[in-house]
Amino acid sequence: MQASRYVPTLMDHLIWVILILVFLFFVTQSPVFLSSTNITNILSAAAILGVLVVGQTFVLITGNFDLSTESTLGLAGLVGMFLIVPAAAPHWGGDIMMNPWLAIIVILAMGAGVGYITGALITMGKMNNFIVTLAMLLILRGLIMAFTKGTPVSGLGYEPAETYFWLGHKALIDIPGVVKIPVAVVATAAVFILGHIILNHRRFGRELYAIGGNRQAAIASGIDADKRVRQVYVLSGLLAAFAGWMLAGRVGSIQANLGEGYIFTVMAAAVIGGISLQGGRGTMLGALGGVLLLSTIDRGLNLMNVNVFWVKVIQGLIIMLAMFIDAQRVRFRVFEAKGGAAEAPAPAGKTA
C-alpha cells in the first residue's frame, strides 16, 4: 500500500502532535507556564473561542462558512448589557432595567434570528455565502456603533448585572492556589461534547457530512440540503450570541469593537483542527485541538513578553499555515482517489 495514503490521516491528527510540542516548548521558556493560574487563563481564553468554533464547524462541514459570528457576538453582548443597566453614567444603558435572565433569552433568540436570516438569504435567495455573511458582519458592526455611539456600556458596580456576568466571570470550583475551574470552561466543554454527539451519533450530523461531501448526491438521497444549511446558520448564530454573553461577563464593559477580529482566529482554529473548507470533513475533537493550540500559543507568547506587533505576525502565519494544511489535505485526497482509480482491477472477462 502506498505510503501517501496515510498522509491525509496523519494531517487530520497532526493538531495534537503540534499542540504537545508547542506546550513543551513554552514549558521550557517560562517557569510559570504550568502554574494553575496560567492553565486557567488558557482554558478561559479557549472557552469563548471554542464556542464560536463549534458553531463554525457545523457550517463548514456543509461546505459553507459564516463570517458574521464575531459581530453577532459583539451585538449580543452589548444588547444584553444595554437591556439591564441604567442610562446614567457610568453605565450608559437603555434604562429598560430588564431581568438579566430575560435579557439572556432575548440575546440568544436574537443570535438565532440573525443566523436564520443569513441562512435564508443563502438558501432561499440563492446568494453567495461569502457576500451574505460579510455584509451581515458589517451590518451588525454598524448597529453596535449606532447603539453605543462610541461610548462603552458598562455593568461594573451595578448588582443586577452580576447575574449577567455569571457565565463569563464565576468559577464552578475555586480552591486558591490549587485549582480554579471557571463556569465558562465547563459550559464550553459541554458544548463540544454535545456537538460531537450530534455530528457523530445523530442523523442530523450524518446529513451535514453528506451535504458537504456531495450536495447533489445528498439531495438525490432525500436530504433537504437547504433546510439543513439554514439550521446550521441558526446554530452558529445562537452559539455566537452565547459566546457574546460569556465574553461580556469577562470584560464587564462593552466596547464598540467587542469581538472584532475574532473570525480570523475562529477560522484558523477550525481549519488547523482538521475542518475542511471544502466541506464534508472534520471532527469536533480536531476543532478542540485547534482551539487549545491557538490559546496556548497566545498565552505562551504573552508570558515570553513578545512584542504585540510580532504576535500579529505570528497569528497571520498561523492562519497561513492553516490554509496550507487544508490545501494539502485536499491535494493528497485527490491524489489518492486518482491512484485508486488507476489501480482498479479490470472488469471480469476483459483484459487490462
Side-chain angles (χ1 to χ4, degrees):
M1 186 177 291
Q2 295 178 358
S4 62
R5 294 184 178 182
Y6 295 100
V7 174
T9 300
L10 176 62
M11 285 188 169
D12 286 343
H13 297 88
L14 186 61
I15 182 62
W16 296 103
V17 177
I18 296 174
L19 177 59
I20 292 170
L21 293 175
V22 168
F23 196 87
L24 291 175
F25 170 76
F26 284 125
V27 167
T28 64
Q29 298 301 307
S30 173
V32 300
F33 187 79
L34 280 178
S35 67
S36 60
T37 299
N38 186 59
I39 298 301
T40 298
N41 288 337
I42 291 174
L43 294 177
S44 296
I48 296 164
L49 176 62
V51 172
L52 291 174
V53 169
V54 170
Q56 193 71 229
T57 296
F58 280 105
V59 177
L60 287 172
I61 284 175
T62 66
N64 293 274
F65 48 87
D66 187 358
L67 300 178
S68 67
T69 51
E70 68 170 49
S71 292
T72 304
L73 173 149
L75 185 63
L78 168 68
V79 170
M81 192 84 74
F82 189 83
L83 293 173
I84 295 169
V85 301
H91 303 296
W92 307 112
D95 217 25
I96 298 172
M97 316 302 284
M98 183 179 288
N99 180 284
W101 291 110
L102 181 57
I104 291 165
I105 293 172
V106 168
I107 64 172
L108 293 179
M110 182 191 73
V114 169
Y116 181 81
I117 293 171
T118 302
L121 289 172
I122 293 167
T123 59
M124 298 178 183
K126 305 303 178 185
M127 299 172 67
N128 180 273
N129 64 75
F130 176 85
I131 299 301
V132 170
T133 58
L134 177 62
M136 189 63 73
L137 179 149
L138 297 173
I139 291 168
L140 297 181
R141 186 60 61 183
L143 288 174
I144 294 173
M145 295 297 295
F147 256 107
T148 63
K149 295 181 176 61
T151 303
V153 178
S154 174
L156 297 174
Y158 183 65
E159 186 169 343
E162 288 299 314
T163 301
Y164 187 66
F165 293 162
W166 172 79
L167 179 63
H169 186 67
K170 298 297 182 181
L172 189 66
I173 299 174
D174 190 1
I175 304 175
V178 180
V179 64
K180 180 177 181 180
I181 303 178
V183 174
V185 172
V186 177
T188 301
V191 170
F192 267 104
I193 291 171
L194 185 59
H196 173 79
I197 292 171
I198 291 173
L199 283 182
N200 292 275
H201 303 287
R202 293 293 180 271
R203 178 180 175 181
F204 179 80
R206 292 192 294 271
E207 290 185 355
L208 298 187
Y209 281 112
I211 293 167
N214 190 324
R215 184 184 179 93
Q216 296 307 315
I219 293 173
S221 68
I223 297 173
D224 189 339
D226 284 349
K227 178 181 178 181
R228 290 292 181 240
V229 169
R230 287 193 295 273
Q231 288 172 337
V232 295
Y233 274 103
V234 168
L235 190 55
S236 178
L238 176 65
L239 289 174
F242 186 79
W245 170 29
M246 188 182 293
L247 183 55
R250 284 196 68 189
V251 300
S253 180
I254 309 300
Q255 306 283 342
N257 64 348
L258 184 71
E260 194 169 8
Y262 252 105
I263 188 59
F264 302 111
T265 310
V266 169
M267 296 295 288
V271 177
I272 287 177
I275 309 300
S276 175
L277 293 177
Q278 307 296 321
R281 294 195 309 275
T283 66
M284 281 297 171
L285 184 61
L288 174 62
V291 169
L292 292 176
L293 176 63
L294 293 190
S295 297
T296 299
I297 290 173
D298 185 67
R299 186 59 188 167
L301 293 176
N302 183 270
L303 289 176
M304 291 174 62
N305 295 315
V306 174
N307 187 291
V308 65
F309 301 113
W310 283 108
V311 170
K312 292 296 182 182
V313 172
I314 293 170
Q315 289 174 341
L317 290 172
I318 290 171
I319 294 172
M320 189 72 73
L321 175 64
M323 299 303 103
F324 176 78
I325 291 174
D326 185 63
Q328 300 316 301
R329 286 195 195 100
V330 174
R331 174 191 168 205
F332 278 108
R333 289 184 188 279
V334 170
F335 176 79
E336 180 183 294
K338 287 182 178 179
E343 296 171 5
K350 296 184 179 181
T351 57

